[in-house]
Amino acid sequence: MPEVVVYILEGRTLEQKRGLVKDITAAVVKNANTTPEQVTVSLVETAKTSKAKGGVLFSEMPGR
Amino acid sequence: MPEVVVYILEGRTLEQKRGLVKDITAAVVKNANTTPEQVTVSLVETAKTSKAKGGVLFSEMPGR
Amino acid sequence: MPEVVVYILEGRTLEQKRGLVKDITAAVVKNANTTPEQVTVSLVETAKTSKAKGGVLFSEMPGR
Amino acid sequence: MPEVVVYILEGRTLEQKRGLVKDITAAVVKNANTTPEQVTVSLVETAKTSKAKGGVLFSEMPGR
Amino acid sequence: MPEVVVYILEGRTLEQKRGLVKDITAAVVKNANTTPEQVTVSLVETAKTSKAKGGVLFSEMPGR
Amino acid sequence: MPEVVVYILEGRTLEQKRGLVKDITAAVVKNANTTPEQVTVSLVETAKTSKAKGGVLFSEMPGR
């Protein structure tokens, strides 16, 4: 507690994921009066064909 | 903002996904006083072996 | 199935909510080969003091 | 209704998943005044490289 | 780990909530090879005016 | 994109929330190759009577 869920496009490197969970956990510990062991982070990764902004799939955006 | 998450069985075609995110986004824009660019939609797809109704996995329902 | 969750700022009127769930459900039925009775929509409403974009709470954005 | 989402590491067997959704559904029916047919359970499975506790990915924890 | 989120209509009694989290946790421990201390359950309660099935708000369903 | 959801006990101060969303957003921007404007953070706050660890509601834990 707290539990963090991040909805993100797939394709991040292991190094990026390592940094994401480390820094998000630190942000929670700093501001929510808890310890790192209480914090879980789940990255829910979706393909570009399964995520959209502005009503358009990321897989069909020009320049992506 | 708003962010929409749809928990759905995997197996939709690209055309279905394209329609889903387009029409859901339009529904949000129409009713929530926002613009398309503010709306994200994430399809969280699960296998039939990881989703259940009535306590039974979809993979083990007769006729599926 | 499918289950839709919408993360949205609180403050929508009943009429807006009625339209949101009706039109989102129609969008899912049209594109996901299901029936209305299978579709649930949950609006998870957060206060402007509990939601942020660009690292800034909506309650602290100028003009809101 | 209700809809249950379980964020869990991937790697469960079919038998474990079958038991999870069956027993969680029974727990909801017993305590929430509903019927099994109203209850959906989605297992959102993440790789050990996409989930963390204490700021450390499960894939990088000693002994895992 | 695992983290369970239950999307449910508001209005459950404290006794029902106590039973829900106790029995769901037991279901997870029994089937997912973990200990109770690793399991969190969050009840995300929504008003009948913010949840729908079949495109209709629960607040507007006959007999509710 | 990405969208972050934090499941947390209610009771944080405005200052804590301000810090949480600011620092989580910075953590995402640093590690996920995006800009602050693309990042939303929603704090889903639950009462101590609606959240549990180890099968016990936080409202019924000794010392809380």
Side-chain angles (χ1 to χ4, degrees):
Chain A
M1 207 285 304
E3 298 78 45
V4 182
V5 179
V6 184
Y7 298 92
I8 194 167
L9 282 177
E10 65 184 15
R12 312 295 160 174
T13 66
L14 182 58
E15 189 174 353
Q16 286 179 311
K17 294 181 183 180
R18 189 186 294 130
L20 257 179
V21 301
K22 178 170 175 284
D23 293 346
I24 288 176
T25 301
V28 173
V29 169
K30 177 183 166 192
N31 294 289
N33 197 25
T34 187
T35 61
E37 290 69 31
Q38 302 298 315
V39 183
T40 60
V41 181
S42 297
L43 308 181
V44 177
E45 298 166 281
T46 50
K48 289 186 180 178
T49 50
S50 296
K51 190 168 177 118
K53 189 175 181 179
V56 179
L57 294 171
F58 279 92
S59 58
E60 305 192 337
M61 290 180 185
R64 274 181 179 263
Chain B
M1 207 286 304
E3 298 79 44
V4 182
V5 179
V6 184
Y7 297 92
I8 194 167
L9 283 178
E10 65 184 14
R12 313 293 160 173
T13 65
L14 182 58
E15 190 175 351
Q16 286 179 311
K17 294 181 185 179
R18 188 186 295 128
L20 258 179
V21 301
K22 178 169 174 284
D23 293 346
I24 289 176
T25 301
V28 173
V29 169
K30 177 183 166 192
N31 294 289
N33 198 25
T34 187
T35 60
E37 290 67 33
Q38 301 298 316
V39 183
T40 60
V41 181
S42 297
L43 308 181
V44 178
E45 300 166 280
T46 50
K48 289 186 179 179
T49 50
S50 296
K51 190 168 175 116
K53 188 174 182 178
V56 179
L57 294 171
F58 279 92
S59 58
E60 305 192 337
M61 290 181 185
R64 275 182 177 263
Chain C
M1 207 285 304
E3 298 80 43
V4 182
V5 179
V6 184
Y7 297 92
I8 195 166
L9 282 178
E10 66 185 14
R12 313 295 160 171
T13 66
L14 183 57
E15 189 175 352
Q16 287 178 309
K17 293 181 184 181
R18 187 187 295 129
L20 256 180
V21 301
K22 178 170 173 286
D23 292 346
I24 288 176
T25 300
V28 173
V29 169
K30 176 183 167 191
N31 294 288
N33 197 26
T34 188
T35 61
E37 290 68 31
Q38 301 298 315
V39 183
T40 59
V41 181
S42 297
L43 308 181
V44 177
E45 299 166 280
T46 50
K48 288 187 180 178
T49 50
S50 296
K51 190 167 176 119
K53 188 174 181 177
V56 179
L57 295 170
F58 279 91
S59 58
E60 305 192 336
M61 290 181 186
R64 278 183 175 261
Chain D
M1 205 282 306
E3 299 78 44
V4 182
V5 179
V6 184
Y7 298 92
I8 194 167
L9 282 178
E10 64 185 15
R12 313 295 161 172
T13 66
L14 182 58
E15 188 175 353
Q16 287 178 311
K17 293 181 184 179
R18 189 186 294 131
L20 257 180
V21 301
K22 178 169 174 284
D23 293 346
I24 288 176
T25 301
V28 172
V29 169
K30 177 182 167 191
N31 294 288
N33 197 26
T34 188
T35 60
E37 289 68 33
Q38 301 299 315
V39 183
T40 60
V41 181
S42 297
L43 308 181
V44 178
E45 299 167 279
T46 50
K48 288 186 180 178
T49 49
S50 296
K51 190 167 176 118
K53 189 174 182 179
V56 179
L57 294 171
F58 279 92
S59 58
E60 305 192 336
M61 290 181 186
R64 276 181 177 262
Chain E
M1 207 288 303
E3 298 80 44
V4 182
V5 178
V6 184
Y7 297 91
I8 195 166
L9 282 177
E10 66 184 15
R12 313 294 161 173
T13 66
L14 183 58
E15 189 175 351
Q16 286 178 310
K17 294 180 184 180
R18 188 187 294 129
L20 257 179
V21 301
K22 179 170 173 284
D23 293 346
I24 288 176
T25 301
V28 173
V29 169
K30 177 183 166 192
N31 295 288
N33 197 25
T34 188
T35 60
E37 289 69 31
Q38 301 297 315
V39 183
T40 60
V41 181
S42 296
L43 308 180
V44 177
E45 300 166 279
T46 50
K48 289 187 180 178
T49 50
S50 297
K51 190 168 176 120
K53 188 175 181 178
V56 179
L57 293 171
F58 279 91
S59 59
E60 305 192 336
M61 290 181 185
R64 276 182 175 261
Chain F
M1 207 286 303
E3 298 80 44
V4 182
V5 179
V6 184
Y7 297 92
I8 194 167
L9 282 178
E10 65 185 15
R12 314 294 159 172
T13 66
L14 182 58
E15 189 176 351
Q16 287 178 310
K17 294 181 184 182
R18 188 186 295 129
L20 258 179
V21 302
K22 179 169 173 285
D23 293 345
I24 288 176
T25 301
V28 173
V29 169
K30 177 183 166 192
N31 294 288
N33 197 26
T34 188
T35 61
E37 289 69 31
Q38 301 298 316
V39 183
T40 60
V41 181
S42 297
L43 308 181
V44 177
E45 298 166 280
T46 50
K48 288 187 180 179
T49 50
S50 296
K51 190 169 177 118
K53 188 175 182 179
V56 179
L57 294 171
F58 279 92
S59 58
E60 305 192 336
M61 290 181 186
R64 276 181 176 262

